[in-house]
C-alpha cells in the first residue's frame, strides 16, 4: 500500500489526470462503476473511535497485503495516527477559514468541508486513476457527526463515491456507552436516519468490545422483547418512547449488518472486512440498480422539460411566421414616423393596464422577436 501522503490536491490533480486517462479502469467520474475498490465511509458520534478504527483498518490492510487508499475528511483533527493519501488539511486550513469567515469551530469545520466538496470530483478522479490497483478506500469523517451527515457537502462526498464504486457506510457505535438502552436507541435512530438518507448498505461497527462485548446489542436487535425487558425498570419519558420505537425499528434492523470490533486490540477486524464485502455485494445487487433507476427517471424529466421548451419555441416561430413581431426602438426612430411611434406607445400602455402579467408578456415578446429573427 502506498503510505505516502497525496500532497496538495491542487497541482497534484493535473499529474494524476494523465495517469487517469492511461489507466484502463478509469473514466470520467460518475461514468462507470468499478467493482473495486470498495469505499468504506466511517461515520459515528464524536469519541466513538472512528479515527482509531481507521488506524486499525489501515494496519490490517497492510498486513493482509490488501491495497488501500486513505482519505481524511476531518479538517480539525490535530494529528492523524495513520498516513492519509488525501488529507483535507492539505487543501483547506480550518483555522484560517474560521478567521476569514468569522466562524466558530463547528462553522469552520462545515465551511472547510463545503470548500473541499467543490473539489471532490478531482478526489474521485484520483481514486479512479488507481482503481485497478486498490481493494479498499477508507474515508474518515469529522468528529461532529451532523456536520457530515446533515450537510450538503456530506451528501456530495457520499454520492460522488456511490456513483462510481461499491460504497458502504460504517456507523461506529461506542459499545460501552450503549449498554444504556436509551443511549442505544438514540444511536440506532441516528443510524436509521443515515440509512434512509444515503440509501447505502450500512454496517454497524460495535467498537470497544475490549471493554464491553456487543452481544447485548445483537440480542436487543434480534428480539425486541429483550430490549423492552432492559428498559423495564426505567419509567422516564425517553424510556417509554424507546419501548415504542423498538417495535418500529424491528424492520430497520433487518437491513443492517453488524460486527463487534476493538480498534485498540484488533479483535473482530477480520469479520468486519467480511461484512464489508457482503455489503459491497448488496450494493451491486440492490443499490446500483436503484441508482440507475433514479438516474433514468431524472434523465426522463429533463428530456420532457426540453421537449416542452422546443414545442414552445416552435409555436412561437409558427405564430410569428418568420416576422419580427416586436418593433425595436432604433427602427422606429429610423422610420421617423411619429404617429406610428405614438400608437405603439399607447398600445403598450393599454397592455400594461390590461394585463396583470405584463412582465411575463413582455418576456414572451422579446422571446418571439428572437424567434422571428431565427
Ligand atoms: N478501549 C478502547 N478505546 C478505544 C477504542 N477505539 C477508540 N478508543 C478510544 O476512544 C477515544 C476516542 O477515539 P477517536 O478515535 O479519537 O474517536 P473519534 O472522535 O470517533 O475519531 C480515544 O481515547 C481512543 O483511544 C477501542 O476499541 N477500545
Ligand atoms: Mg476522529
Amino acid at each position: 500500500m502506498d503510505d505516502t501522503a497525496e500532497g496538495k490536491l491542487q497541482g497534484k490533480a493535473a499529474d494524476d489526470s494523465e495517469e487517469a486517462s492511461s489507466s484502463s479502469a478509469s473514466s470520467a467520474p460518475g461514468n462507470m462503476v468499478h467493482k473495486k475498490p470498495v469505499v468504506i465511509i466511517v461515520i459515528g458520534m464524536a469519541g466513538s473511535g472512528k479515527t482509531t478504527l481507521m488506524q486499525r483498518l489501515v494496519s490490517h490492510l497492510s498486513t493482509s497485503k490488501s491495497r488501500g487508499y486513505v482519505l481524511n475528511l476531518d479538517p480539525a483533527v490535530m494529528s492523524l495516527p495513520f498516513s492519509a493519501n488525501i488529507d483535507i488539511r492539505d487543501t483547506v486550513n480550518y483555522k484560517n477559514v474560521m478567521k476569514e469567515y468569522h466562524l466558530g469551530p463547528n462553522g469552520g469545520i462545515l465551511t472547510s468541508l463545503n470548500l473541499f466538496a467543490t473539489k471532490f470530483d478531482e478526489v474521485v478522479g484520483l481514486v479512479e486513476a488507481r482503481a485497478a490497483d486498490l481493494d479498499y478506500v477508507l474515508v474518515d469523517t469529522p468528529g461532529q457527526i451532523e456536520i457530515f451527515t446533515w450537510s450538503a457537502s456530506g451528501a456530495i462526498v457520499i454520492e460522488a463515491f456511490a456513483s462510481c464504486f461499491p460504497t458502504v457506510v460504517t456507523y461506529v457505535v461506542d459499545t460501552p456507552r450503549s449498554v444504556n438502552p436509551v443511549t442505544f436507541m438514540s444511536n440506532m435512530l441516528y443510524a436509521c436516519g443515515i440509512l434512509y438518507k444515503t440509501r447505502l448498505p450500512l454496517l454497524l461497527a460495535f467498537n470497544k468490545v475490549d471493554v464491553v462485548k456487543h452481544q447485548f446489542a445483537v440480542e436487543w436487535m434480534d428480539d425486541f422483547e429483550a430490549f423492552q425487558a432492559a428498559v423495564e425498570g426505567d419509567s422516564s419519558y425517553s424510556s417509554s418512547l424507546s419501548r415504542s420505537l423498538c417495535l418500529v425499528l424491528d424492520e430497520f434492523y433487518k437491513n443492517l449488518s453488524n460486527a463487534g470490533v476493538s480498534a485498540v486490540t484488533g479483535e473482530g477486524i477480520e469479520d468486519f472486512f467480511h461484512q464489508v464485502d457482503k455489503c459491497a455485494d448488496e450494493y451491486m445487487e440492490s443499490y446500483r440498480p436503484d441508482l440507475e433507476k433514479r438516474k433514468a427517471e431524472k434523465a426522463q424529466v429533463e428530456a420532457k422539460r426540453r421537449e416542452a421548451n422546443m414545442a414552445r419555441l416552435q409555436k412561437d416561430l409558427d405564430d410569428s411566421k418568420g416576422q419580427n413581431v416586436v418593433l425595436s426602438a432604433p427602427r422606429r426612430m429610423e422610420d421617423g414616423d411619429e404617429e406610428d411611434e405614438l400608437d405603439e406607445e399607447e398600445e403598450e400602455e393599454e397592455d400594461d393596464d390590461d394585463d396583470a402579467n405584463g412582465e411575463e408578456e413582455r418576456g414572451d415578446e422579446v422571446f418571439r422577436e428572437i424567434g422571428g429573427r431565427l
Side-chain angles (χ1 to χ4, degrees):
M1 190 192 121
D2 177 16
D3 263 352
T4 55
E6 193 68 51
K8 291 202 187 276
L9 203 53
Q10 289 162 332
K12 193 80 183 135
D15 306 345
D16 281 303
S17 63
E18 266 174 43
E19 230 177 286
S21 56
S22 62
S23 161
S24 62
S26 67
S27 71
N31 283 353
M32 181 176 164
V33 180
H34 306 259
K35 275 199 108 177
K36 285 219 149 186
V38 177
V39 179
I40 307 173
I41 300 176
V42 181
I43 297 177
M45 299 288 181
S48 57
K50 296 182 291 295
T51 303
T52 319
L53 181 63
M54 282 283 295
Q55 179 189 19
R56 176 57 62 184
L57 299 179
V58 169
S59 87
H60 180 87
L61 287 183
S62 59
T63 53
S64 65
K65 307 256 181 305
S66 294
R67 296 151 311 169
Y69 198 76
V70 185
L71 264 81
N72 169 46
L73 296 185
D74 187 353
V77 70
M78 299 294 279
S79 65
L80 280 182
F82 51 86
S83 101
N85 297 87
I86 296 176
D87 191 337
I88 186 172
R89 296 175 304 165
D90 291 331
T91 307
V92 195
N93 184 323
Y94 138 84
K95 290 213 166 134
N96 287 350
V97 169
M98 273 171 69
K99 263 190 229 146
E100 202 170 311
Y101 296 93
H102 308 289
L103 298 166
N106 279 352
I109 297 174
L110 179 65
T111 307
S112 303
L113 203 60
N114 285 343
L115 290 170
F116 194 69
T118 62
K119 293 192 151 284
F120 214 73
D121 53 342
E122 286 178 35
V123 174
V124 174
L126 292 173
V127 178
E128 287 202 302
R130 291 167 168 74
D133 305 320
L134 296 173
D135 297 308
Y136 297 97
V137 176
L138 305 172
V139 185
D140 195 8
T141 59
Q144 310 298 325
I145 185 171
E146 61 281 355
I147 289 177
F148 192 75
T149 51
W150 296 105
S151 66
S153 44
I156 289 171
V157 167
I158 292 175
E159 269 175 34
F161 273 133
S163 61
C164 297
F165 306 104
T167 305
V168 177
V169 174
T170 293
Y171 184 75
V172 184
V173 181
D174 188 327
T175 314
R177 292 193 65 190
S178 300
V179 290
N180 178 322
V182 175
T183 310
F184 173 81
M185 183 52 71
S186 312
N187 250 320
M188 291 305 111
L189 285 176
Y190 225 108
C192 184
I194 292 167
L195 180 77
Y196 288 109
K197 205 162 186 292
T198 62
R199 306 199 213 174
L200 285 171
L202 187 88
L203 170 59
L204 293 175
F206 286 104
N207 191 28
K208 310 190 185 180
V209 294
D210 56 302
V211 182
V212 173
K213 296 280 175 223
H214 72 301
Q215 257 62 35
F216 72 92
V218 176
E219 228 172 86
W220 287 350
M221 290 195 291
D222 283 348
D223 177 6
F224 67 87
E225 283 176 353
F227 180 79
Q228 287 192 327
V231 261
E232 199 88 310
D234 195 337
S235 59
S236 67
Y237 164 73
S238 51
S239 75
S240 71
L241 179 66
S242 298
R243 246 192 305 273
S244 321
L245 283 173
C246 76
L247 297 171
V248 179
L249 289 185
D250 208 38
E251 195 57 35
F252 157 73
Y253 293 142
K254 291 190 187 119
N255 297 313
L256 301 184
S257 313
N258 70 75
V261 292
S262 168
V264 168
T265 66
E267 185 182 340
I269 297 296
E270 195 97 23
D271 179 48
F272 173 87
F273 276 105
H274 179 63
Q275 297 294 334
V276 165
D277 291 343
K278 275 179 32 187
C279 287
D281 291 343
E282 196 189 312
Y283 165 96
M284 294 309 275
E285 280 158 26
S286 43
Y287 178 81
R288 193 65 222 166
D290 185 48
L291 183 76
E292 296 296 346
K293 203 174 120 206
R294 275 186 276 149
K295 264 193 196 164
E297 279 168 6
K298 211 172 156 190
Q300 219 174 351
V301 169
E302 180 61 18
K304 270 195 189 148
R305 193 186 62 79
R306 252 190 255 150
E307 220 172 87
N309 277 348
M310 282 309 290
R312 197 170 158 223
L313 176 66
Q314 191 58 51
K315 184 177 173 295
D316 287 339
L317 282 171
D318 292 347
D319 287 353
S320 70
K321 297 188 179 66
Q323 301 293 312
N324 279 3
V325 288
V326 176
L327 296 176
S328 59
R331 210 190 115 199
R332 276 184 290 170
M333 294 312 287
E334 268 170 34
D335 288 346
D337 190 341
E338 283 183 24
E339 234 177 73
D340 271 0
E341 202 177 323
L342 283 170
D343 287 347
E344 288 280 341
E345 275 171 15
E346 272 166 26
E347 266 174 42
E348 267 176 33
E349 268 173 32
E350 266 173 39
D351 276 351
D352 283 351
D353 293 339
D354 290 346
D355 194 354
N357 299 321
E359 286 290 322
E360 209 173 289
E361 200 65 10
R362 273 197 295 279
D364 276 359
E365 280 174 3
V366 172
F367 190 72
R368 274 193 214 105
E369 186 187 9
I370 295 166
R373 281 193 196 137
L374 285 172

